Amino acid sequence: MSNILIVDDSMTMRQMVNFTLTSAGHAVTEAGNADEALLNAQKQRFDLVISDVNMPGRSGIELVAELRKLEAYKFVPIILLTTESQPEMKSKGRAAGATGWIVKPFDPEALLGVLRKVLPA
Amino acid sequence: MHIMLDDGKTESPVKILLICGAAVLVPWVWGVWAMPLWVALVSMLFSGISVYLIYLQIRSLTENLRARGAAAQGAQERHASGASDSAAALRDMLGQWLGTSQAATSNLQQVRAMLDEVTTQSESAAASIGNSFRVVMQKTGQQMDDALRLLKSNSDGAGGSTWLSLPDFIKAYEKQLDTVTGRMMDFSKASEEMSRHQDLVREHSLAIDEMLDELRNMAARIRKLALDSTVAANRDQSTDTRWFIEIADRIRETSTSAHELTRRMRDGLEQIREVMGRTYEELSKSSDNVRMAAVQAKVDVSQLNIATMEKAREVTGTLEKITTLGKEVRADINQIIVAMQYQDITHQKLEHIKSPLLATAAASISEVAAKTRASGIKPAVGVVMETPVKVRDDLVPGKTKTVDVEPF
């Protein structure tokens, strides 16, 4: 079981990801924006972070960059989950330090498959 | 009739005729005296005709000029009148625009309110559905786990105990029964072995019996020999017979004691044989009963196990169906999750339309309306095109609690 942080301004999307992950036995914490996510990340260490890109305030890519500055999150997998699919946006995400990029709407099984790949066994 | 000239003045036709006649006659009238009379008369006649033709021409020209002037004046009058109409039309149009923009602003505000309501309702619907599915999935998962636990061994039970699956339990039960019946069969075999031992004991007791008979016979012969010895000693006077007789008496007493002892031993052997006989009968009966019970138990257990295993197979089949249904439910829920994401994406796009696009449009229209109002133009009465927006009942706040999930 892994401790996972979900960041999305949409409550529905957070619930869908939460449902998918908790059904697979993971523990999930939700954040509605990047600032809240950073606060949570500083309070406890998560095994994985899944974030939206387009959010009010700081974007998901900025959040990735901020998290990578934290010592505890240098090597933690961070997945960007977004409707954006342009190559230049993906490049920005990769440059910021994102581990992976999943385009919404996601397939729950595919999401769990990605998690199995990026999470330590 | 008057003829209007270019400068606007009018002249009488007679005067014009006289001027034209003078202009025609003056050049040649000085030579009248030098030509014949008829020539002078014909010339004067043609001169008159020429004057008249010139008059007609001038008249036509002046009438054209007057008509053109009248037309120009009419056009000027019409132009003045047209400008007045255009200004009024412009006022009307701007008034209509002001009214329309006000109505559009109002409608846009209503649309924004509706979008807010739609997004709120859809989001709460999605959240509600998500929670419901979470609960349903948890319960379904619990049921599946409970059902599958019946078939799965669990060596991690509390207190180190081990839970057996139903098939494992049946196998263990069958093994225990096999052990019990095996032990019963062993008991039966042991009983048979004991019976054989009893036979041997009986044979040995018979041999002992024969030996006792032999001993009794020997004792009898010894007593008789002692008696004969005593008689012979009494007959022989030459020897001291007292000692001999005493020895013979002791031998006879010993023989009698041995005889009594063999009799008692025979009685004891008889009692032992009797007890062993009863024990043998009981043991044989028990052995037969145990053997029959063991055989019957094996048959019963075998049949019971066949029925139980069949039932276990049915349970396994049912559980496999439950598992398959659970997987199908899981797949359906995954599809619903994808559909809800589409709903969420739509909701975000609506949000994007609402703000800033709708807000920008409303602000632009409001600004234009304000500028129009500031220009001093009042909207014409009755030209505002109010387009009432029909709001769905289920989107009116507080009117109903039901959530429309048909778009899924």
Side-chain angles (χ1 to χ4, degrees):
Chain A
M1 185 188 78
S2 300
N3 197 15
I4 299 174
L5 175 64
I6 304 169
V7 192
D8 202 307
D9 58 319
S10 165
M11 188 181 71
T12 305
M13 195 58 69
R14 288 201 307 272
Q15 281 201 331
M16 292 302 101
V17 179
N18 189 334
F19 174 73
T20 303
L21 298 184
T22 49
S23 298
H26 299 292
V28 172
T29 302
E30 295 183 15
N33 54 52
D35 294 334
E36 193 181 339
L38 280 169
L39 280 176
N40 280 320
Q42 284 161 352
K43 281 181 193 167
Q44 58 175 310
R45 187 183 179 282
F46 293 96
D47 303 315
L48 173 74
V49 179
I50 299 175
S51 175
D52 188 16
V53 170
N54 297 317
M55 292 185 289
R58 275 189 275 198
S59 72
I61 293 175
E62 289 172 311
L63 172 64
V64 173
E66 290 294 325
L67 284 173
R68 289 299 183 211
K69 289 178 188 172
L70 301 176
E71 189 62 32
Y73 288 88
K74 279 201 183 305
F75 303 106
V76 169
I78 303 176
I79 305 287
L80 288 172
L81 180 62
T82 176
T83 53
E84 300 280 354
S85 58
Q86 294 91 339
E88 57 269 25
M89 288 295 286
K90 288 184 182 177
S91 299
K92 284 182 184 175
R94 196 179 299 118
T99 311
W101 188 282
I102 299 176
V103 178
K104 293 178 188 173
F106 68 87
D107 176 57
E109 293 299 331
L111 176 65
L112 293 176
V114 171
L115 261 60
R116 278 191 288 273
K117 283 183 184 174
V118 299
L119 283 171
Chain B
M1 174 185 171
H2 296 277
I3 294 173
M4 190 176 72
L5 302 176
D6 287 342
D7 56 359
K9 295 178 182 174
T10 57
E11 294 291 344
S12 68
V14 176
K15 187 177 179 182
I16 290 172
L17 275 174
L18 288 174
I19 291 169
C20 291
V24 172
L25 290 174
V26 167
W28 56 270
V29 77
W30 59 275
V32 171
W33 60 275
M35 65 184 67
L37 182 61
W38 65 273
V39 173
L41 290 174
V42 170
S43 298
M44 288 180 66
L45 179 63
F46 279 107
S47 296
I49 292 171
S50 300
V51 169
Y52 184 69
L53 289 174
I54 291 168
Y55 167 73
L56 287 178
Q57 187 64 34
I58 290 170
R59 185 180 169 193
S60 171
L61 181 62
T62 55
E63 283 181 353
N64 279 341
L65 288 172
R66 189 174 59 185
R68 199 177 297 168
Q73 187 177 1
Q76 193 173 2
E77 288 173 356
R78 278 198 303 277
H79 181 261
S81 173
S84 174
D85 290 345
S86 298
L90 182 61
R91 262 197 308 275
D92 285 347
M93 286 172 67
L94 284 173
Q96 284 184 23
W97 163 244
L98 178 59
T100 304
S101 64
Q102 287 172 343
T105 304
S106 171
N107 288 343
L108 278 173
Q109 285 170 350
Q110 285 188 39
V111 168
R112 285 191 67 188
M114 283 170 58
L115 281 175
D116 279 339
E117 192 60 32
V118 167
T119 51
T120 305
Q121 295 270 6
S122 61
E123 193 159 338
S124 62
S128 173
I129 291 169
N131 284 331
S132 299
F133 271 118
R134 189 197 303 265
V135 172
V136 167
M137 276 307 290
Q138 281 174 350
K139 288 180 178 173
T140 307
Q142 186 66 42
Q143 283 180 336
M144 284 175 63
D145 289 344
D146 290 345
L148 288 172
R149 200 172 293 128
L150 289 172
L151 292 177
K152 288 181 182 172
S153 297
N154 178 15
S155 57
D156 299 328
S161 62
T162 300
W163 294 92
L164 292 176
S165 68
L166 190 56
D168 289 343
F169 173 77
I170 291 168
K171 285 175 188 168
Y173 176 68
E174 190 175 17
K175 190 176 175 183
Q176 288 282 353
L177 278 176
D178 278 344
T179 305
V180 170
T181 51
R183 285 177 183 169
M184 288 166 77
M185 294 298 287
D186 290 344
F187 176 73
S188 176
K189 286 176 185 171
S191 298
E192 288 173 356
E193 190 67 22
M194 279 183 70
S195 296
R196 279 196 295 276
H197 289 170
Q198 277 191 326
D199 289 339
L200 285 174
V201 169
R202 188 179 294 110
E203 288 173 8
H204 288 309
S205 71
L206 285 174
I208 291 169
D209 204 16
E210 287 174 0
M211 287 169 70
L212 286 173
D213 284 343
E214 191 67 24
L215 276 173
R216 192 174 61 179
N217 290 336
M218 284 174 70
R221 282 199 301 270
I222 288 169
R223 191 170 54 191
K224 190 180 176 185
L225 184 61
L227 186 61
D228 291 344
S229 299
T230 304
V231 171
N234 285 332
R235 280 183 191 164
D236 188 2
Q237 297 295 326
S238 59
T239 57
D240 186 2
T241 60
R242 278 190 304 170
W243 176 80
F244 190 80
I245 290 168
E246 189 178 346
I247 293 299
D249 288 342
R250 286 182 182 174
I251 290 171
R252 196 166 51 245
E253 285 173 4
T254 304
S255 174
T256 302
S257 298
H259 187 269
E260 181 63 22
L261 190 62
T262 55
R263 190 188 62 76
R264 285 165 58 187
M265 283 177 70
R266 188 184 300 278
D267 289 344
L269 275 175
E270 283 298 327
Q271 286 176 359
I272 288 170
R273 264 203 296 270
E274 189 179 344
V275 170
M276 284 186 69
R278 284 204 299 269
T279 306
Y280 173 74
E281 285 177 8
E282 293 295 328
L283 206 59
S284 295
K285 265 191 228 171
S286 299
S287 174
D288 290 341
N289 289 339
V290 165
R291 192 187 307 109
M292 286 171 65
V295 170
Q296 189 61 42
K298 278 185 83 77
V299 172
D300 290 347
V301 166
S302 175
Q303 288 175 351
L304 182 66
N305 283 350
I306 289 169
T308 311
M309 288 301 286
E310 184 63 32
K311 187 59 74 180
R313 271 194 289 275
E314 286 179 14
V315 171
T316 305
T318 305
L319 289 175
E320 282 173 354
K321 282 180 188 172
I322 290 171
T323 307
T324 306
L325 282 174
K327 286 178 182 170
E328 288 175 0
V329 168
R330 179 81 203 180
D332 290 342
I333 286 176
N334 285 349
Q335 286 181 354
I336 290 169
I337 287 174
V338 173
M340 287 181 73
Q341 289 177 76
Y342 277 119
Q343 183 270 344
D344 186 68
I345 291 168
T346 307
H347 159 248
Q348 288 188 351
K349 286 184 176 174
L350 282 175
E351 280 285 332
H352 182 64
I353 289 171
K354 188 189 77 179
S355 175
L357 292 184
L358 271 181
T360 306
S364 300
I365 290 171
S366 295
E367 189 181 350
V368 170
K371 284 181 179 175
T372 307
R373 201 179 298 113
S375 68
I377 296 171
K378 293 179 181 175
V381 177
V383 296
V384 175
M385 292 184 292
E386 283 288 356
T387 308
V389 178
K390 201 170 182 182
V391 181
R392 279 165 54 192
D393 286 346
D394 55 343
L395 296 179
V396 176
K399 195 159 186 177
T400 175
K401 292 288 184 188
T402 56
V403 178
D404 186 7
V405 294
E406 281 181 2
F408 292 150

PDB file of all heavy atoms in Angstrom, chain B residues 12 33 117 184 212 250 257 274 283 286 318 333 355 357 366 399:
ATOM      1  N   SER B  12     -41.440  89.804 -71.096  1.00  0.00           N
ATOM      2  CA  SER B  12     -42.700  89.484 -71.780  1.00  0.00           C
ATOM      3  C   SER B  12     -42.397  88.954 -73.172  1.00  0.00           C
ATOM      4  O   SER B  12     -41.399  89.338 -73.786  1.00  0.00           O
ATOM      5  CB  SER B  12     -43.571  90.755 -71.892  1.00  0.00           C
ATOM      6  OG  SER B  12     -42.970  91.646 -72.771  1.00  0.00           O
ATOM      7  N   TRP B  33     -34.998  99.965-100.397  1.00  0.00           N
ATOM      8  CA  TRP B  33     -35.260 100.896-101.499  1.00  0.00           C
ATOM      9  C   TRP B  33     -34.638 100.460-102.777  1.00  0.00           C
ATOM     10  O   TRP B  33     -35.087 100.781-103.866  1.00  0.00           O
ATOM     11  CB  TRP B  33     -34.735 102.300-101.102  1.00  0.00           C
ATOM     12  CG  TRP B  33     -33.246 102.298-100.831  1.00  0.00           C
ATOM     13  CD1 TRP B  33     -32.613 102.000 -99.742  1.00  0.00           C
ATOM     14  CD2 TRP B  33     -32.291 102.552-101.820  1.00  0.00           C
ATOM     15  NE1 TRP B  33     -31.304 102.061 -99.857  1.00  0.00           N
ATOM     16  CE2 TRP B  33     -31.036 102.406-101.190  1.00  0.00           C
ATOM     17  CE3 TRP B  33     -32.339 102.930-103.218  1.00  0.00           C
ATOM     18  CZ2 TRP B  33     -29.848 102.586-101.851  1.00  0.00           C
ATOM     19  CZ3 TRP B  33     -31.091 103.101-103.785  1.00  0.00           C
ATOM     20  CH2 TRP B  33     -29.860 102.921-103.139  1.00  0.00           C
ATOM     21  N   GLU B 117     -25.364  27.280 -11.913  1.00  0.00           N
ATOM     22  CA  GLU B 117     -26.259  26.288 -11.346  1.00  0.00           C
ATOM     23  C   GLU B 117     -26.002  24.908 -11.944  1.00  0.00           C
ATOM     24  O   GLU B 117     -25.944  23.891 -11.234  1.00  0.00           O
ATOM     25  CB  GLU B 117     -27.712  26.715 -11.584  1.00  0.00           C
ATOM     26  CG  GLU B 117     -28.726  25.925 -10.802  1.00  0.00           C
ATOM     27  CD  GLU B 117     -28.512  26.043  -9.303  1.00  0.00           C
ATOM     28  OE1 GLU B 117     -28.059  27.102  -8.852  1.00  0.00           O
ATOM     29  OE2 GLU B 117     -28.758  25.047  -8.603  1.00  0.00           O
ATOM     30  N   MET B 184      -9.906 -48.405  13.761  1.00  0.00           N
ATOM     31  CA  MET B 184     -10.929 -49.413  14.101  1.00  0.00           C
ATOM     32  C   MET B 184     -10.586 -50.756  13.458  1.00  0.00           C
ATOM     33  O   MET B 184     -10.739 -51.818  14.070  1.00  0.00           O
ATOM     34  CB  MET B 184     -12.302 -48.925  13.640  1.00  0.00           C
ATOM     35  CG  MET B 184     -12.838 -47.780  14.503  1.00  0.00           C
ATOM     36  SD  MET B 184     -14.241 -46.955  13.749  1.00  0.00           S
ATOM     37  CE  MET B 184     -15.524 -48.114  14.087  1.00  0.00           C
ATOM     38  N   LEU B 212      -1.125 -81.881  34.634  1.00  0.00           N
ATOM     39  CA  LEU B 212      -1.686 -82.019  35.986  1.00  0.00           C
ATOM     40  C   LEU B 212      -2.208 -83.455  36.193  1.00  0.00           C
ATOM     41  O   LEU B 212      -2.047 -84.049  37.287  1.00  0.00           O
ATOM     42  CB  LEU B 212      -2.810 -81.006  36.196  1.00  0.00           C
ATOM     43  CG  LEU B 212      -2.366 -79.558  36.389  1.00  0.00           C
ATOM     44  CD1 LEU B 212      -3.572 -78.624  36.412  1.00  0.00           C
ATOM     45  CD2 LEU B 212      -1.573 -79.407  37.682  1.00  0.00           C
ATOM     46  N   ARG B 250       5.501 -89.430  55.448  1.00  0.00           N
ATOM     47  CA  ARG B 250       5.726 -88.054  54.937  1.00  0.00           C
ATOM     48  C   ARG B 250       5.538 -88.004  53.421  1.00  0.00           C
ATOM     49  O   ARG B 250       4.927 -87.061  52.890  1.00  0.00           O
ATOM     50  CB  ARG B 250       7.128 -87.586  55.280  1.00  0.00           C
ATOM     51  CG  ARG B 250       7.285 -87.247  56.758  1.00  0.00           C
ATOM     52  CD  ARG B 250       8.690 -86.735  57.001  1.00  0.00           C
ATOM     53  NE  ARG B 250       8.884 -86.451  58.403  1.00  0.00           N
ATOM     54  CZ  ARG B 250      10.045 -86.099  58.943  1.00  0.00           C
ATOM     55  NH1 ARG B 250      11.112 -85.995  58.158  1.00  0.00           N
ATOM     56  NH2 ARG B 250      10.159 -85.862  60.241  1.00  0.00           N
ATOM     57  N   SER B 257      -0.899 -83.933  49.402  1.00  0.00           N
ATOM     58  CA  SER B 257      -0.893 -82.461  49.183  1.00  0.00           C
ATOM     59  C   SER B 257      -0.757 -82.137  47.687  1.00  0.00           C
ATOM     60  O   SER B 257      -1.439 -81.239  47.167  1.00  0.00           O
ATOM     61  CB  SER B 257       0.281 -81.818  49.950  1.00  0.00           C
ATOM     62  OG  SER B 257       0.139 -82.025  51.322  1.00  0.00           O
ATOM     63  N   GLU B 274     -12.986 -70.780  31.421  1.00  0.00           N
ATOM     64  CA  GLU B 274     -14.364 -70.275  31.309  1.00  0.00           C
ATOM     65  C   GLU B 274     -14.344 -68.760  31.027  1.00  0.00           C
ATOM     66  O   GLU B 274     -15.047 -68.271  30.129  1.00  0.00           O
ATOM     67  CB  GLU B 274     -15.119 -70.552  32.612  1.00  0.00           C
ATOM     68  CG  GLU B 274     -16.608 -70.265  32.507  1.00  0.00           C
ATOM     69  CD  GLU B 274     -17.322 -70.568  33.828  1.00  0.00           C
ATOM     70  OE1 GLU B 274     -16.737 -71.273  34.680  1.00  0.00           O
ATOM     71  OE2 GLU B 274     -18.451 -70.070  33.972  1.00  0.00           O
ATOM     72  N   LEU B 283     -15.054 -60.644  22.668  1.00  0.00           N
ATOM     73  CA  LEU B 283     -14.061 -60.037  21.782  1.00  0.00           C
ATOM     74  C   LEU B 283     -14.402 -60.293  20.307  1.00  0.00           C
ATOM     75  O   LEU B 283     -14.286 -59.406  19.454  1.00  0.00           O
ATOM     76  CB  LEU B 283     -12.692 -60.616  22.120  1.00  0.00           C
ATOM     77  CG  LEU B 283     -11.483 -59.755  21.788  1.00  0.00           C
ATOM     78  CD1 LEU B 283     -11.566 -58.421  22.505  1.00  0.00           C
ATOM     79  CD2 LEU B 283     -10.194 -60.482  22.175  1.00  0.00           C
ATOM     80  N   SER B 286     -17.283 -58.034  19.469  1.00  0.00           N
ATOM     81  CA  SER B 286     -16.826 -56.635  19.313  1.00  0.00           C
ATOM     82  C   SER B 286     -16.022 -56.471  18.038  1.00  0.00           C
ATOM     83  O   SER B 286     -16.185 -55.487  17.287  1.00  0.00           O
ATOM     84  CB  SER B 286     -15.948 -56.235  20.506  1.00  0.00           C
ATOM     85  OG  SER B 286     -16.687 -56.314  21.679  1.00  0.00           O
ATOM     86  N   THR B 318     -20.461 -21.041  -7.977  1.00  0.00           N
ATOM     87  CA  THR B 318     -21.197 -19.820  -7.626  1.00  0.00           C
ATOM     88  C   THR B 318     -20.235 -18.677  -7.319  1.00  0.00           C
ATOM     89  O   THR B 318     -20.423 -17.538  -7.763  1.00  0.00           O
ATOM     90  CB  THR B 318     -22.091 -20.077  -6.399  1.00  0.00           C
ATOM     91  OG1 THR B 318     -22.920 -21.192  -6.678  1.00  0.00           O
ATOM     92  CG2 THR B 318     -22.939 -18.865  -6.090  1.00  0.00           C
ATOM     93  N   ILE B 333     -17.911   0.123 -13.752  1.00  0.00           N
ATOM     94  CA  ILE B 333     -17.571   1.295 -12.936  1.00  0.00           C
ATOM     95  C   ILE B 333     -16.421   2.069 -13.570  1.00  0.00           C
ATOM     96  O   ILE B 333     -16.403   3.299 -13.568  1.00  0.00           O
ATOM     97  CB  ILE B 333     -17.245   0.848 -11.502  1.00  0.00           C
ATOM     98  CG1 ILE B 333     -18.549   0.467 -10.809  1.00  0.00           C
ATOM     99  CG2 ILE B 333     -16.547   1.950 -10.727  1.00  0.00           C
ATOM    100  CD1 ILE B 333     -18.396  -0.083  -9.436  1.00  0.00           C
ATOM    101  N   SER B 355     -16.510  32.043 -17.703  1.00  0.00           N
ATOM    102  CA  SER B 355     -15.503  33.009 -17.271  1.00  0.00           C
ATOM    103  C   SER B 355     -14.183  32.604 -17.890  1.00  0.00           C
ATOM    104  O   SER B 355     -13.720  31.514 -17.664  1.00  0.00           O
ATOM    105  CB  SER B 355     -15.374  32.983 -15.749  1.00  0.00           C
ATOM    106  OG  SER B 355     -14.340  33.802 -15.313  1.00  0.00           O
ATOM    107  N   LEU B 357     -15.043  34.210 -20.987  1.00  0.00           N
ATOM    108  CA  LEU B 357     -15.677  34.578 -22.245  1.00  0.00           C
ATOM    109  C   LEU B 357     -17.010  35.287 -22.035  1.00  0.00           C
ATOM    110  O   LEU B 357     -17.245  36.372 -22.577  1.00  0.00           O
ATOM    111  CB  LEU B 357     -15.880  33.329 -23.095  1.00  0.00           C
ATOM    112  CG  LEU B 357     -14.608  32.673 -23.624  1.00  0.00           C
ATOM    113  CD1 LEU B 357     -14.955  31.498 -24.521  1.00  0.00           C
ATOM    114  CD2 LEU B 357     -13.773  33.682 -24.397  1.00  0.00           C
ATOM    115  N   SER B 366     -22.141  45.798 -21.851  1.00  0.00           N
ATOM    116  CA  SER B 366     -22.482  46.818 -20.859  1.00  0.00           C
ATOM    117  C   SER B 366     -21.776  48.142 -21.167  1.00  0.00           C
ATOM    118  O   SER B 366     -22.369  49.225 -21.048  1.00  0.00           O
ATOM    119  CB  SER B 366     -22.066  46.340 -19.467  1.00  0.00           C
ATOM    120  OG  SER B 366     -22.818  45.227 -19.114  1.00  0.00           O
ATOM    121  N   LYS B 399     -35.853  24.582  -6.174  1.00  0.00           N
ATOM    122  CA  LYS B 399     -37.138  24.123  -6.676  1.00  0.00           C
ATOM    123  C   LYS B 399     -37.257  22.607  -6.610  1.00  0.00           C
ATOM    124  O   LYS B 399     -38.301  22.059  -6.363  1.00  0.00           O
ATOM    125  CB  LYS B 399     -37.319  24.586  -8.113  1.00  0.00           C
ATOM    126  CG  LYS B 399     -38.755  24.469  -8.586  1.00  0.00           C
ATOM    127  CD  LYS B 399     -39.008  25.352  -9.760  1.00  0.00           C
ATOM    128  CE  LYS B 399     -40.483  25.346 -10.131  1.00  0.00           C
ATOM    129  NZ  LYS B 399     -40.765  26.256 -11.220  1.00  0.00           N
TER     130      LYS B 399
END
